[in-house]
Amino acid sequence: MKHCKRLNRRLAVALAACLMLLTGCAPQSQPAAPMQDAKQVILGFSQLGSESSWRIGNTKSIQEAAKRAGVQLMYENAEQKQEKQIKAIRSFIAYQVDVIAFSPIVEDGWDNVLGEAKQAGIPVLTTDRRINTADESLIVGFVGSDFYAEGRRAGRFLLAKAADMAQVNIVEISGTVDSTPMRERALGFRDELGGDTRYTILESVSGDFLRSKGKECMQGLLKRHSDIDVLYSHNDGMTLGAIEAIEAVGLTPGKDIIIITVDGEQAAIDLLKAGKINCVVECTPLIGDKIMELANKLAAGESIPRNIYSDERVFSEFDTDLADLPPREY
Ligand code: GYE
């Protein structure tokens, strides 16, 4: 039966490849569809976009890990559109892949397509971000970061940094609305600051995890508020944009405004060393090997843990080992 399903799938993959060749309309991010060793696991992966260095590092990690693990990867990039992710998942179901993994751009709106995957008997793993659903059985597991913990770590740094300040005015540039990192980084940060009345969040705006929007957001925030002490930004890309805006009005980032950012890409670590950023909360995109290990297990019918979190740290101006940090891979 399993053998039969595999043959059908091979046929579907080969037919799809022929059709693409005949019509000459293969999409740019065409899923790899060569006939391979019958035992090779096929993983359909829907990436949400390429909005940041984090995301590009994440894609690279997944593609390289697939090669190392001998997993046949059908990769699709949804360019920031949920409809495109849904379409990609439907195409993976049509190809009868062994396992589907995806990084959901937002949390809501996945029940129908995941119900179809379940119906087809294909296990689905969410990576990096989570979904919101009443039916937990639609997903077999999650691998990625604990964003709530990241928010708390950002808050913890601020508590230490601003210990002597009488009043602390914060602006927040958050990530994509309704995405898991946006929700949880905001919540963890607020919970860590607790009921301390010295801390005020003057305004929170969404910069969609994009550098250009981070700059625009900061320009607006600087116009509307003359008393900003702290910028808490949900990713390095937006922080880099915001720093340009801060410098453009003659202020010194890291001194006039305390800068706290999340991700830990090389450019942010460099600015931390240069004193323009005060704290970088690490969020690693390097989860490719883990995803392949889980895909192989799922394809073999084994069970996997419900949640797997990456080990992460904080880099800040309080650290003495910054000079010795190895180069970042993203
Ligand atoms: O922080 C940001 C990216 O989901 C953890 O998405 C990821 C976030 C990351 O665009 O840079």
Side-chain angles (χ1 to χ4, degrees), residues 52-118:
S52 63
S53 295
W54 189 101
R55 185 68 48 201
I56 289 158
N58 180 244
T59 298
K60 193 166 163 248
S61 164
I62 290 165
Q63 289 174 333
E64 290 178 356
K67 277 191 207 131
R68 270 195 300 277
V71 167
Q72 187 183 335
L73 183 68
M74 294 175 70
Y75 168 84
E76 289 286 346
N77 183 336
E79 288 153 1
Q80 253 65 39
K81 291 187 186 70
Q82 183 176 26
E83 314 85 76
K84 284 190 93 173
Q85 283 203 283
I86 292 173
K87 224 173 131 196
I89 295 171
R90 290 218 163 99
S91 76
F92 299 149
I93 297 170
Y95 286 145
Q96 301 178 8
V97 299
D98 296 296
V99 180
I100 292 173
F102 77 116
S103 177
I105 181 154
V106 290
E107 294 193 337
D108 294 323
W110 301 102
D111 282 19
N112 286 342
V113 70
L114 296 184
E116 292 164 29
K118 190 177 168 186

Side-chain angles (χ1 to χ4, degrees), residues 22 57 117 141 155 162 166 211 232 236 238 243 253 286 300 302 305 311 319 326:
L22 282 174
R211 180 177 178 146
Y232 171 42
D236 291 343
M238 297 189 298
I243 284 177
L286 309 177
E302 292 171 35
D311 270 340
D319 294 335

Side-chain angles (χ1 to χ4, degrees), residues 77-306:
N77 183 336
E79 288 153 1
Q80 253 65 39
K81 291 187 186 70
Q82 183 176 26
E83 314 85 76
K84 284 190 93 173
Q85 283 203 283
I86 292 173
K87 224 173 131 196
I89 295 171
R90 290 218 163 99
S91 76
F92 299 149
I93 297 170
Y95 286 145
Q96 301 178 8
V97 299
D98 296 296
V99 180
I100 292 173
F102 77 116
S103 177
I105 181 154
V106 290
E107 294 193 337
D108 294 323
W110 301 102
D111 282 19
N112 286 342
V113 70
L114 296 184
E116 292 164 29
K118 190 177 168 186
Q119 196 71 31
I122 303 173
V124 180
L125 185 68
T126 56
T127 74
D128 161 38
R129 299 185 185 178
R130 291 176 179 281
I131 61 159
N132 178 26
T133 178
D135 182 359
E136 292 293 326
S137 76
L138 295 177
I139 292 292
V140 290
F142 163 83
V143 56
S145 300
D146 182 342
F147 302 128
Y148 179 77
E150 290 173 356
R152 290 205 76 132
R153 288 179 197 129
R156 207 163 305 143
F157 169 82
L158 185 56
L159 290 175
K161 172 76 179 169
D164 298 332
M165 290 169 68
Q167 170 67 33
V168 188
N169 290 332
I170 304 164
V171 292
E172 177 179 52
I173 304 183
S174 74
T176 303
V177 174
D178 191 30
S179 72
T180 318
M182 182 266 181
R183 286 185 39 258
E184 295 186 355
R185 285 174 185 165
L187 191 66
F189 184 70
R190 283 159 179 75
D191 282 356
E192 187 68 25
L193 299 182
D196 192 328
T197 51
R198 292 177 305 132
Y199 294 91
T200 306
I201 299 184
L202 297 173
E203 199 179 335
S204 176
V205 284
S206 170
D208 218 5
F209 286 126
L210 293 168
R211 180 177 178 146
S212 56
K213 282 205 191 164
K215 184 173 177 180
E216 268 172 43
C217 285
M218 196 67 213
Q219 284 166 339
L221 290 164
L222 286 162
K223 277 195 194 119
R224 292 190 293 278
H225 307 279
S226 56
D227 51 352
I228 300 172
D229 299 309
V230 180
L231 164 66
Y232 171 42
S233 159
H234 287 197
N235 89 339
D236 291 343
M238 297 189 298
T239 306
L240 298 182
I243 284 177
E244 281 179 42
I246 293 170
E247 289 182 326
V249 296
L251 294 173
T252 308
K255 302 227 158 35
D256 296 325
I257 297 181
I258 298 166
I259 313 273
I260 304 173
T261 183
V262 189
D263 275 356
E265 65 179 69
Q266 188 63 53
I269 298 295
D270 292 344
L271 288 179
L272 171 66
K273 288 183 189 164
K276 292 188 182 187
I277 288 179
N278 306 80
C279 174
V280 180
V281 177
E282 184 183 31
C283 175
T284 182
L286 309 177
I287 52 177
D289 287 325
K290 205 49 177 182
I291 294 172
M292 298 313 141
E293 185 192 316
L294 296 173
N296 275 324
K297 282 194 173 150
L298 289 169
E302 292 171 35
S303 62
I304 60 160
R306 191 77 198 162

